[in-house]
């Protein structure tokens, strides 16, 4: 199988490889080890077989119980072990309130989506339940010690809860912040056609341009969201490195172990 950053399957969105990224000390993340994606609830047997052949051993699901009940991961192959690891007890990244009220907010407040998502990201780095989820994620990463075995981690859109998981993981592996931000914002390129279709549909439904801009912001990522999370980390915990060790339990020993597992060995 070839090494591709963006993997196009018919039945899941925003499936991407973390392989090939460089660390600050010149090492490279191994390919076919770390995958991020959106929901696997509609996974076809063909795409399941592709993921199994790709080497996926663990499927880490960051969604809430309610999201899982609505669209359980369609992973039935014995090779892939399912791990339920909810970041929030409900989906804070989306809106489960009354559709009419929700639409009214989108129409009335041009900053609704931006402010809401900044708040979600701040909560993601401060909330105890979120800390627990990302700690469990690192425990699974540290268990994945067989060669040719990959971990796939996902939420519903594969951009916020999954996006922060990728930020923490890439930082722990020693990738620089600029590359981490590039990986984070890549979502917008990958989901562009899908989001454009959704926007055309709500426009046809008579939503105002203010509401459509809000919805686009909810369906995509913005560096403002990630910057809000990083600023909150710096303010409350000192630095991302300190956050990894003090909050997520990823200290020097764990980082070295992760680097052994997921980086190509140094050849000099």
């Amino acid at each position: 199988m070839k090494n591709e950053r963006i993997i196009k399957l018919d039945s899941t969105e925003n499936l991407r490889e973390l392989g090939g990224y460089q660390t600050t000390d010149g090492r490279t993340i191994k390919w076919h080890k770390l995958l991020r994606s959106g929901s696997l609830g509609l996974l076809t047997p063909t795409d399941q077989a592709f993921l199994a052949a790709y080497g996926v051993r663990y499927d880490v699901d960051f969604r809430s119980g309610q999201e899982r009940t609505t669209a359980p991961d369609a992973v039935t192959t014995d090779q892939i072990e399912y791990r339920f690891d909810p970041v929030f007890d409900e989906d804070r990244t989306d809106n489960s309130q009354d559709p009419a009220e929700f639409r009214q907010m989108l129409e009335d407040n041009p900053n609704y989506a931006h402010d809401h998502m900044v708040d979600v990201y701040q909560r993601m780095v401060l909330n105890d339940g979120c800390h627990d989820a990302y700690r469990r994620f690192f425990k699974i990463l540290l268990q994945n010690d067989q060669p040719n075995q990959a971990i796939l981690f996902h939420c519903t859109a594969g951009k916020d809860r999954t996006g922060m998981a990728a930020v923490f993981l890439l930082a722990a592996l020693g990738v620089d912040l600029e590359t981490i931000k590039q990986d984070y914002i890549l979502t917008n390129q990958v989901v562009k056609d899908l989001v454009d279709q959704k926007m055309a549909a709500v426009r046809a439904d008579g939503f105002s341009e203010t509401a459509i801009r809000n919805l686009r912001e909810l369906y995509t990522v913005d560096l403002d969201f990630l910057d809000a999370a990083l600023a909150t980390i710096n303010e409350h915990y000192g630095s991302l490195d300190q956050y990894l060790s003090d909050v997520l339990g990823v200290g020097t020993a764990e980082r070295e172990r992760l680097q052994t597992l997921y980086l190509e060995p140094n050849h000099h």
Side-chain angles (χ1 to χ4, degrees), residues 19-210:
Y21 285 132
Q22 295 262 309
T23 62
T24 51
D25 65 1
R27 288 186 286 175
T28 307
I29 298 180
K30 293 174 183 173
W31 289 91
H32 298 252
K33 293 294 282 181
L34 298 166
L35 293 170
R36 50 174 296 179
S37 82
S39 173
L40 304 182
L42 299 171
L43 217 50
T44 59
T46 309
D47 288 349
Q48 256 199 77
F50 172 88
L51 291 176
Y54 202 89
V56 175
R57 172 75 174 83
Y58 295 102
D59 161 21
V60 182
D61 183 356
F62 291 133
R63 299 175 306 162
S64 66
Q66 181 193 353
E67 289 168 284
R68 178 173 72 153
T69 304
T70 309
D73 281 12
V75 175
T76 53
T77 159
D78 290 344
Q79 186 198 311
I80 301 177
E81 190 179 319
Y82 175 77
R83 295 289 186 92
F84 180 54
D85 188 20
V87 170
F88 288 118
D89 45 9
E90 57 192 296
D91 180 9
R92 297 291 174 80
T93 56
D94 218 340
N95 288 276
S96 43
Q97 67 252 45
D98 172 66
E101 276 177 39
F102 177 47
R103 178 166 175 177
Q104 203 55 54
M105 279 197 305
L106 296 174
E107 302 279 2
D108 292 345
N109 176 1
N111 300 318
Y112 167 75
H114 187 274
D115 294 348
H116 172 71
M117 293 309 296
V118 163
D119 180 59
V120 167
Y121 274 73
Q122 289 170 330
R123 277 211 299 260
M124 245 187 309
V125 299
L126 291 171
N127 176 293
D128 288 343
C130 301
H131 297 166
D132 291 343
Y134 290 125
R135 270 199 291 266
R136 287 190 294 265
F137 172 54
F138 275 107
K139 287 208 171 80
I140 300 165
L141 287 163
L142 288 161
Q143 282 166 9
N144 183 39
D145 56 3
Q146 298 303 305
N148 312 318
Q149 271 188 189
I151 286 183
L152 186 160
F153 55 99
H154 76 93
C155 51
T156 292
K159 68 187 186 72
D160 303 310
R161 292 165 287 188
T162 299
M164 284 311 296
V167 167
F168 296 143
L169 171 54
L170 292 172
L173 291 174
V175 174
D176 68 285
L177 196 54
E178 193 44 51
T179 306
I180 290 174
K181 288 185 174 189
Q182 282 169 7
D183 180 74
Y184 171 77
I185 208 76
L186 184 58
T187 283
N188 290 349
Q189 185 186 317
V190 179
V191 302
K192 184 182 185 305
D193 292 348
L194 183 73
V195 172
D196 286 345
Q197 285 164 17
K198 286 180 174 177
M199 295 307 104
V202 293
R203 187 169 279 125
D205 244 349
F207 278 64
S208 72
E209 289 307 311
T210 299

